[in-house]
Amino acid sequence: MTTYQYISLKEKPELLNKAANFFHSKWNVPIEAYLECMNTYLNNETDYGWYLCLDDNKIVGGLGVIENDFHMRKDLTPNICAVYTEEEYRNQGIAGSLLNMAVSDLKNKGITPVYLVTDHTNFYERYGWEFFCMIQETNGNYTRMYIHN
């Protein structure tokens, strides 16, 4: 059985560029946007973090917490974003562990509730998330918003 390491980026700041490249390659958001958010976190300018799952030193999953994940409801914040697990590592609970880690970290900082936007159904519910509402994205499309208290 493989043991993975779950960390916040603050625990291994030397992974900054590797993490930014990982998320950029999955979501096609400019790498500069990831670097800016991650540096803000590493410089203690925000409590919103970045969380990674490592298999040795390879990033196999991760997610971040940001103010707004490209939707019109600026009052629904913070947002979990960029949730991703490499395909060959899926169905092992990695995303769930990362979600729980982020929610727990935010709660310890007095930040609750937390939101996320997704087209997935029957996934986030497994980890305590509840459907909150349909929400308009900045591109004009509608998607589902979930909440975790």
Side-chain angles (χ1 to χ4, degrees):
M1 170 137 183
T2 304
T3 303
Y4 301 120
Q5 184 180 16
Y6 293 90
I7 62 162
S8 76
L9 187 56
K10 278 191 179 177
E11 294 172 68
K12 289 198 175 193
E14 65 273 16
L15 293 177
L16 170 67
N17 289 322
K18 194 175 188 180
N21 275 303
F22 172 82
F23 290 109
H24 167 69
S25 73
K26 308 309 177 194
W27 297 109
N28 206 26
V29 171
I31 194 165
E32 295 80 12
Y34 289 113
L35 287 169
E36 181 181 342
C37 290
M38 291 174 182
N39 275 313
T40 300
Y41 173 59
L42 292 175
N43 293 329
N44 297 313
E45 297 168 24
T46 183
D47 285 326
Y48 302 161
W50 289 85
Y51 306 87
L52 304 170
C53 176
L54 305 176
D55 184 2
D56 287 324
N57 266 340
K58 178 183 177 189
I59 299 172
V60 299
L63 60 81
V65 181
I66 59 175
E67 192 77 23
N68 180 281
D69 194 15
F70 304 105
H71 60 78
M72 305 303 286
R73 292 286 306 274
K74 308 299 183 201
D75 58 314
L76 302 177
T77 187
N79 295 182
I80 299 284
C81 71
V83 178
Y84 194 87
T85 302
E86 292 287 7
E87 198 165 331
E88 63 269 25
Y89 288 86
R90 292 181 184 167
N91 300 309
Q92 298 180 51
I94 291 172
S97 293
L98 289 164
L99 287 162
N100 292 338
M101 183 179 181
V103 167
S104 177
D105 190 32
L106 291 166
K107 277 187 183 177
N108 288 337
K109 296 171 182 173
I111 302 169
T112 187
V114 185
Y115 302 90
L116 66 80
V117 293
T118 184
D119 290 329
H120 290 287
T121 57
N122 302 316
F123 177 77
Y124 292 98
E125 292 88 343
R126 290 185 241 168
Y127 304 105
W129 293 82
E130 297 176 7
F131 175 74
F132 185 68
C133 66
M134 293 301 291
I135 194 164
Q136 188 174 17
E137 298 173 295
T138 54
N139 65 9
N141 294 334
Y142 282 82
T143 191
R144 302 169 64 81
M145 175 165 271
Y146 284 78
I147 185 172
H148 196 292
N149 289 301

mmCIF file of all heavy atoms in Angstrom, residues 110-139:
data_model
loop_
_atom_site.group_PDB
_atom_site.id
_atom_site.type_symbol
_atom_site.label_atom_id
_atom_site.label_comp_id
_atom_site.label_asym_id
_atom_site.label_seq_id
_atom_site.Cartn_x
_atom_site.Cartn_y
_atom_site.Cartn_z
ATOM 1 N N GLY A 110 -10.941 30.198 11.519
ATOM 2 C CA GLY A 110 -12.216 30.889 11.704
ATOM 3 C C GLY A 110 -12.925 31.234 10.415
ATOM 4 O O GLY A 110 -13.803 32.089 10.397
ATOM 5 N N ILE A 111 -12.545 30.565 9.327
ATOM 6 C CA ILE A 111 -13.134 30.852 8.016
ATOM 7 C C ILE A 111 -14.120 29.745 7.656
ATOM 8 O O ILE A 111 -13.728 28.608 7.403
ATOM 9 C CB ILE A 111 -12.044 30.976 6.934
ATOM 10 C CG1 ILE A 111 -11.056 32.073 7.305
ATOM 11 C CG2 ILE A 111 -12.667 31.215 5.568
ATOM 12 C CD1 ILE A 111 -9.804 32.106 6.453
ATOM 13 N N THR A 112 -15.390 30.089 7.666
ATOM 14 C CA THR A 112 -16.452 29.159 7.304
ATOM 15 C C THR A 112 -17.689 29.982 6.966
ATOM 16 O O THR A 112 -17.866 31.058 7.552
ATOM 17 C CB THR A 112 -16.724 28.137 8.443
ATOM 18 O OG1 THR A 112 -17.641 27.168 7.983
ATOM 19 C CG2 THR A 112 -17.234 28.789 9.691
ATOM 20 N N PRO A 113 -18.519 29.616 6.036
ATOM 21 C CA PRO A 113 -18.439 28.437 5.186
ATOM 22 C C PRO A 113 -17.441 28.626 4.041
ATOM 23 O O PRO A 113 -16.883 29.707 3.853
ATOM 24 C CB PRO A 113 -19.862 28.315 4.638
ATOM 25 C CG PRO A 113 -20.345 29.721 4.560
ATOM 26 C CD PRO A 113 -19.721 30.412 5.765
ATOM 27 N N VAL A 114 -17.277 27.546 3.284
ATOM 28 C CA VAL A 114 -16.415 27.527 2.104
ATOM 29 C C VAL A 114 -17.289 27.081 0.933
ATOM 30 O O VAL A 114 -18.200 26.278 1.103
ATOM 31 C CB VAL A 114 -15.243 26.540 2.291
ATOM 32 C CG1 VAL A 114 -14.295 26.605 1.119
ATOM 33 C CG2 VAL A 114 -14.513 26.819 3.587
ATOM 34 N N TYR A 115 -17.000 27.589 -0.263
ATOM 35 C CA TYR A 115 -17.796 27.294 -1.452
ATOM 36 C C TYR A 115 -16.922 26.672 -2.530
ATOM 37 O O TYR A 115 -15.693 26.818 -2.518
ATOM 38 C CB TYR A 115 -18.413 28.581 -2.004
ATOM 39 C CG TYR A 115 -19.284 29.297 -1.007
ATOM 40 C CD1 TYR A 115 -18.753 30.253 -0.152
ATOM 41 C CD2 TYR A 115 -20.643 28.999 -0.899
ATOM 42 C CE1 TYR A 115 -19.545 30.903 0.779
ATOM 43 C CE2 TYR A 115 -21.448 29.647 0.025
ATOM 44 C CZ TYR A 115 -20.889 30.597 0.863
ATOM 45 O OH TYR A 115 -21.677 31.229 1.793
ATOM 46 N N LEU A 116 -17.565 26.005 -3.478
ATOM 47 C CA LEU A 116 -16.872 25.568 -4.693
ATOM 48 C C LEU A 116 -17.869 25.475 -5.830
ATOM 49 O O LEU A 116 -19.064 25.273 -5.599
ATOM 50 C CB LEU A 116 -16.124 24.246 -4.491
ATOM 51 C CG LEU A 116 -16.861 22.951 -4.217
ATOM 52 C CD1 LEU A 116 -17.434 22.335 -5.485
ATOM 53 C CD2 LEU A 116 -15.902 21.964 -3.593
ATOM 54 N N VAL A 117 -17.367 25.655 -7.041
ATOM 55 C CA VAL A 117 -18.204 25.524 -8.235
ATOM 56 C C VAL A 117 -17.738 24.293 -9.007
ATOM 57 O O VAL A 117 -16.544 24.000 -9.074
ATOM 58 C CB VAL A 117 -18.162 26.788 -9.135
ATOM 59 C CG1 VAL A 117 -18.807 27.956 -8.439
ATOM 60 C CG2 VAL A 117 -16.753 27.136 -9.542
ATOM 61 N N THR A 118 -18.719 23.576 -9.571
ATOM 62 C CA THR A 118 -18.399 22.334 -10.275
ATOM 63 C C THR A 118 -19.580 21.898 -11.131
ATOM 64 O O THR A 118 -20.721 22.269 -10.860
ATOM 65 C CB THR A 118 -18.064 21.212 -9.271
ATOM 66 O OG1 THR A 118 -17.674 20.042 -9.990
ATOM 67 C CG2 THR A 118 -19.248 20.881 -8.374
ATOM 68 N N ASP A 119 -19.286 21.110 -12.133
ATOM 69 C CA ASP A 119 -20.329 20.457 -12.914
ATOM 70 C C ASP A 119 -20.581 19.041 -12.395
ATOM 71 O O ASP A 119 -21.502 18.372 -12.838
ATOM 72 C CB ASP A 119 -19.941 20.387 -14.397
ATOM 73 C CG ASP A 119 -19.958 21.760 -15.049
ATOM 74 O OD1 ASP A 119 -20.760 22.612 -14.641
ATOM 75 O OD2 ASP A 119 -19.155 21.971 -15.975
ATOM 76 N N HIS A 120 -19.724 18.575 -11.465
ATOM 77 C CA HIS A 120 -19.870 17.215 -10.933
ATOM 78 C C HIS A 120 -21.083 17.112 -10.016
ATOM 79 O O HIS A 120 -21.421 18.041 -9.297
ATOM 80 C CB HIS A 120 -18.623 16.813 -10.136
ATOM 81 C CG HIS A 120 -17.425 16.604 -10.977
ATOM 82 N ND1 HIS A 120 -17.263 15.515 -11.804
ATOM 83 C CD2 HIS A 120 -16.299 17.348 -11.134
ATOM 84 C CE1 HIS A 120 -16.113 15.596 -12.422
ATOM 85 N NE2 HIS A 120 -15.501 16.707 -12.040
ATOM 86 N N THR A 121 -21.708 15.955 -10.044
ATOM 87 C CA THR A 121 -22.768 15.631 -9.082
ATOM 88 C C THR A 121 -22.377 14.316 -8.418
ATOM 89 O O THR A 121 -21.681 13.492 -9.012
ATOM 90 C CB THR A 121 -24.148 15.482 -9.762
ATOM 91 O OG1 THR A 121 -24.053 14.484 -10.776
ATOM 92 C CG2 THR A 121 -24.604 16.797 -10.373
ATOM 93 N N ASN A 122 -22.791 14.154 -7.188
ATOM 94 C CA ASN A 122 -22.538 12.930 -6.416
ATOM 95 C C ASN A 122 -21.067 12.672 -6.117
ATOM 96 O O ASN A 122 -20.694 11.537 -5.829
ATOM 97 C CB ASN A 122 -23.144 11.703 -7.107
ATOM 98 C CG ASN A 122 -24.627 11.849 -7.323
ATOM 99 O OD1 ASN A 122 -25.338 12.296 -6.422
ATOM 100 N ND2 ASN A 122 -25.105 11.523 -8.500
ATOM 101 N N PHE A 123 -20.242 13.689 -6.198
ATOM 102 C CA PHE A 123 -18.848 13.527 -5.794
ATOM 103 C C PHE A 123 -18.579 14.277 -4.495
ATOM 104 O O PHE A 123 -18.188 13.689 -3.492
ATOM 105 C CB PHE A 123 -17.884 13.999 -6.888
ATOM 106 C CG PHE A 123 -16.440 13.900 -6.452
ATOM 107 C CD1 PHE A 123 -15.808 12.666 -6.435
ATOM 108 C CD2 PHE A 123 -15.739 15.009 -6.022
ATOM 109 C CE1 PHE A 123 -14.491 12.556 -5.994
ATOM 110 C CE2 PHE A 123 -14.431 14.911 -5.585
ATOM 111 C CZ PHE A 123 -13.794 13.680 -5.576
ATOM 112 N N TYR A 124 -18.793 15.574 -4.512
ATOM 113 C CA TYR A 124 -18.465 16.398 -3.348
ATOM 114 C C TYR A 124 -19.354 16.082 -2.147
ATOM 115 O O TYR A 124 -18.939 16.251 -1.003
ATOM 116 C CB TYR A 124 -18.519 17.878 -3.722
ATOM 117 C CG TYR A 124 -17.405 18.242 -4.678
ATOM 118 C CD1 TYR A 124 -17.631 18.321 -6.051
ATOM 119 C CD2 TYR A 124 -16.117 18.448 -4.218
ATOM 120 C CE1 TYR A 124 -16.609 18.619 -6.930
ATOM 121 C CE2 TYR A 124 -15.077 18.742 -5.087
ATOM 122 C CZ TYR A 124 -15.331 18.832 -6.444
ATOM 123 O OH TYR A 124 -14.309 19.105 -7.300
ATOM 124 N N GLU A 125 -20.549 15.580 -2.420
ATOM 125 C CA GLU A 125 -21.460 15.205 -1.334
ATOM 126 C C GLU A 125 -20.825 14.161 -0.405
ATOM 127 O O GLU A 125 -21.098 14.146 0.796
ATOM 128 C CB GLU A 125 -22.782 14.655 -1.901
ATOM 129 C CG GLU A 125 -23.637 15.686 -2.612
ATOM 130 C CD GLU A 125 -23.317 15.851 -4.101
ATOM 131 O OE1 GLU A 125 -22.230 15.408 -4.553
ATOM 132 O OE2 GLU A 125 -24.152 16.425 -4.812
ATOM 133 N N ARG A 126 -19.964 13.319 -0.953
ATOM 134 C CA ARG A 126 -19.301 12.284 -0.150
ATOM 135 C C ARG A 126 -18.415 12.875 0.941
ATOM 136 O O ARG A 126 -18.057 12.185 1.895
ATOM 137 C CB ARG A 126 -18.410 11.409 -1.041
ATOM 138 C CG ARG A 126 -19.172 10.529 -1.974
ATOM 139 C CD ARG A 126 -18.202 9.633 -2.714
ATOM 140 N NE ARG A 126 -18.301 9.913 -4.136
ATOM 141 C CZ ARG A 126 -17.451 9.494 -5.058
ATOM 142 N NH1 ARG A 126 -16.405 8.789 -4.712
ATOM 143 N NH2 ARG A 126 -17.635 9.778 -6.323
ATOM 144 N N TYR A 127 -18.040 14.137 0.775
ATOM 145 C CA TYR A 127 -17.106 14.778 1.699
ATOM 146 C C TYR A 127 -17.750 15.921 2.480
ATOM 147 O O TYR A 127 -17.065 16.828 2.952
ATOM 148 C CB TYR A 127 -15.865 15.253 0.921
ATOM 149 C CG TYR A 127 -15.239 14.102 0.177
ATOM 150 C CD1 TYR A 127 -15.385 13.982 -1.201
ATOM 151 C CD2 TYR A 127 -14.555 13.092 0.856
ATOM 152 C CE1 TYR A 127 -14.843 12.906 -1.883
ATOM 153 C CE2 TYR A 127 -14.018 12.017 0.180
ATOM 154 C CZ TYR A 127 -14.165 11.925 -1.186
ATOM 155 O OH TYR A 127 -13.636 10.851 -1.863
ATOM 156 N N GLY A 128 -19.072 15.852 2.610
ATOM 157 C CA GLY A 128 -19.763 16.819 3.456
ATOM 158 C C GLY A 128 -20.214 18.089 2.762
ATOM 159 O O GLY A 128 -20.721 19.003 3.418
ATOM 160 N N TRP A 129 -20.052 18.176 1.464
ATOM 161 C CA TRP A 129 -20.488 19.347 0.706
ATOM 162 C C TRP A 129 -21.963 19.199 0.363
ATOM 163 O O TRP A 129 -22.437 18.098 0.103
ATOM 164 C CB TRP A 129 -19.662 19.501 -0.570
ATOM 165 C CG TRP A 129 -18.228 19.844 -0.280
ATOM 166 C CD1 TRP A 129 -17.235 18.976 0.056
ATOM 167 C CD2 TRP A 129 -17.660 21.143 -0.264
ATOM 168 N NE1 TRP A 129 -16.075 19.669 0.262
ATOM 169 C CE2 TRP A 129 -16.293 20.998 0.074
ATOM 170 C CE3 TRP A 129 -18.157 22.418 -0.516
ATOM 171 C CZ2 TRP A 129 -15.428 22.075 0.175
ATOM 172 C CZ3 TRP A 129 -17.304 23.498 -0.425
ATOM 173 C CH2 TRP A 129 -15.953 23.323 -0.074
ATOM 174 N N GLU A 130 -22.668 20.330 0.325
ATOM 175 C CA GLU A 130 -24.084 20.340 -0.022
ATOM 176 C C GLU A 130 -24.317 21.280 -1.198
ATOM 177 O O GLU A 130 -23.727 22.366 -1.256
ATOM 178 C CB GLU A 130 -24.918 20.819 1.162
ATOM 179 C CG GLU A 130 -24.834 19.918 2.368
ATOM 180 C CD GLU A 130 -25.593 20.476 3.564
ATOM 181 O OE1 GLU A 130 -26.295 21.501 3.421
ATOM 182 O OE2 GLU A 130 -25.474 19.874 4.645
ATOM 183 N N PHE A 131 -25.206 20.862 -2.104
ATOM 184 C CA PHE A 131 -25.587 21.743 -3.201
ATOM 185 C C PHE A 131 -26.179 23.011 -2.614
ATOM 186 O O PHE A 131 -27.019 22.956 -1.719
ATOM 187 C CB PHE A 131 -26.594 21.052 -4.123
ATOM 188 C CG PHE A 131 -27.118 21.958 -5.198
ATOM 189 C CD1 PHE A 131 -26.327 22.295 -6.282
ATOM 190 C CD2 PHE A 131 -28.395 22.506 -5.111
ATOM 191 C CE1 PHE A 131 -26.787 23.144 -7.273
ATOM 192 C CE2 PHE A 131 -28.868 23.359 -6.101
ATOM 193 C CZ PHE A 131 -28.069 23.679 -7.174
ATOM 194 N N PHE A 132 -25.727 24.174 -3.096
ATOM 195 C CA PHE A 132 -26.185 25.455 -2.577
ATOM 196 C C PHE A 132 -27.101 26.172 -3.566
ATOM 197 O O PHE A 132 -28.180 26.595 -3.223
ATOM 198 C CB PHE A 132 -24.969 26.329 -2.231
ATOM 199 C CG PHE A 132 -25.293 27.626 -1.568
ATOM 200 C CD1 PHE A 132 -25.818 27.649 -0.286
ATOM 201 C CD2 PHE A 132 -25.055 28.830 -2.219
ATOM 202 C CE1 PHE A 132 -26.112 28.854 0.334
ATOM 203 C CE2 PHE A 132 -25.348 30.031 -1.608
ATOM 204 C CZ PHE A 132 -25.874 30.048 -0.327
ATOM 205 N N CYS A 133 -26.645 26.306 -4.825
ATOM 206 C CA CYS A 133 -27.445 26.985 -5.834
ATOM 207 C C CYS A 133 -26.789 26.837 -7.199
ATOM 208 O O CYS A 133 -25.648 26.434 -7.306
ATOM 209 C CB CYS A 133 -27.599 28.480 -5.495
ATOM 210 S SG CYS A 133 -26.057 29.433 -5.569
ATOM 211 N N MET A 134 -27.549 27.192 -8.235
ATOM 212 C CA MET A 134 -26.948 27.337 -9.562
ATOM 213 C C MET A 134 -26.358 28.742 -9.600
ATOM 214 O O MET A 134 -26.912 29.677 -9.010
ATOM 215 C CB MET A 134 -27.985 27.147 -10.664
ATOM 216 C CG MET A 134 -28.542 25.735 -10.754
ATOM 217 S SD MET A 134 -27.287 24.466 -11.048
ATOM 218 C CE MET A 134 -26.779 24.828 -12.735
ATOM 219 N N ILE A 135 -25.245 28.874 -10.276
ATOM 220 C CA ILE A 135 -24.531 30.144 -10.256
ATOM 221 C C ILE A 135 -23.993 30.453 -11.651
ATOM 222 O O ILE A 135 -23.599 29.547 -12.387
ATOM 223 C CB ILE A 135 -23.407 30.096 -9.206
ATOM 224 C CG1 ILE A 135 -22.868 31.475 -8.921
ATOM 225 C CG2 ILE A 135 -22.320 29.142 -9.588
ATOM 226 C CD1 ILE A 135 -22.048 31.541 -7.660
ATOM 227 N N GLN A 136 -23.997 31.745 -11.991
ATOM 228 C CA GLN A 136 -23.484 32.153 -13.298
ATOM 229 C C GLN A 136 -21.980 32.382 -13.215
ATOM 230 O O GLN A 136 -21.484 33.083 -12.336
ATOM 231 C CB GLN A 136 -24.176 33.428 -13.776
ATOM 232 C CG GLN A 136 -23.805 33.777 -15.206
ATOM 233 C CD GLN A 136 -24.599 34.966 -15.739
ATOM 234 O OE1 GLN A 136 -25.188 35.726 -14.991
ATOM 235 N NE2 GLN A 136 -24.592 35.108 -17.047
ATOM 236 N N GLU A 137 -21.287 31.759 -14.145
ATOM 237 C CA GLU A 137 -19.846 31.944 -14.245
ATOM 238 C C GLU A 137 -19.548 33.232 -15.006
ATOM 239 O O GLU A 137 -20.416 33.777 -15.693
ATOM 240 C CB GLU A 137 -19.220 30.749 -14.958
ATOM 241 C CG GLU A 137 -19.414 29.441 -14.208
ATOM 242 C CD GLU A 137 -18.946 28.250 -15.006
ATOM 243 O OE1 GLU A 137 -19.535 27.960 -16.070
ATOM 244 O OE2 GLU A 137 -17.988 27.611 -14.564
ATOM 245 N N THR A 138 -18.316 33.711 -14.924
ATOM 246 C CA THR A 138 -17.942 34.941 -15.621
ATOM 247 C C THR A 138 -18.024 34.784 -17.139
ATOM 248 O O THR A 138 -18.147 35.765 -17.852
ATOM 249 C CB THR A 138 -16.526 35.407 -15.210
ATOM 250 O OG1 THR A 138 -15.601 34.335 -15.400
ATOM 251 C CG2 THR A 138 -16.497 35.851 -13.755
ATOM 252 N N ASN A 139 -18.014 33.539 -17.643
ATOM 253 C CA ASN A 139 -18.138 33.314 -19.083
ATOM 254 C C ASN A 139 -19.598 33.262 -19.533
ATOM 255 O O ASN A 139 -19.888 33.046 -20.695
ATOM 256 C CB ASN A 139 -17.410 32.038 -19.498
ATOM 257 C CG ASN A 139 -18.025 30.782 -18.902
ATOM 258 O OD1 ASN A 139 -19.102 30.804 -18.307
ATOM 259 N ND2 ASN A 139 -17.327 29.671 -19.053
#
